[in-house]
Amino acid sequence: GVFAVHFWAPTFKWGITVANIADFVKPPEKLSYPQQIAVTCTGIIWSRYSTVITPKNWNLFSVNVAMAGTGIYQLSRKLR
């Protein structure tokens, strides 16, 4: 339920994704490779974990898929 850490931790993690989305307007040369690699890897690793645990945590899965997606997008901008 909403009184468990299993709800609030992934919910607050959306803040990282929102901050990364806000950086879409930032010039690519101002983006950090280590930061975007960390966001991408965290998203990929925890997306997998959220489908392996019992019970499956779909809130955790969705936020981490979004994190991985925004990280990949930002890395692609930086590489171009």
Side-chain angles (χ1 to χ4, degrees), residues 7-61:
F7 172 78
W8 289 109
T11 301
F12 280 109
K13 202 171 184 181
W14 277 105
I16 298 170
T17 303
V18 170
N20 217 18
I21 291 169
D23 285 346
F24 285 178
V25 296
K26 186 185 279 189
E29 51 276 353
K30 293 203 177 218
L31 297 174
S32 165
Y33 278 118
Q35 178 182 351
Q36 295 307 321
I37 290 169
V39 168
T40 303
C41 290
T42 299
I44 292 168
I45 290 166
W46 285 97
S47 292
R48 170 71 177 130
Y49 173 76
S50 65
T51 61
V52 175
I53 59 172
T54 304
K56 294 182 181 1
N57 189 333
W58 296 110
N59 188 17
L60 183 64
F61 178 76

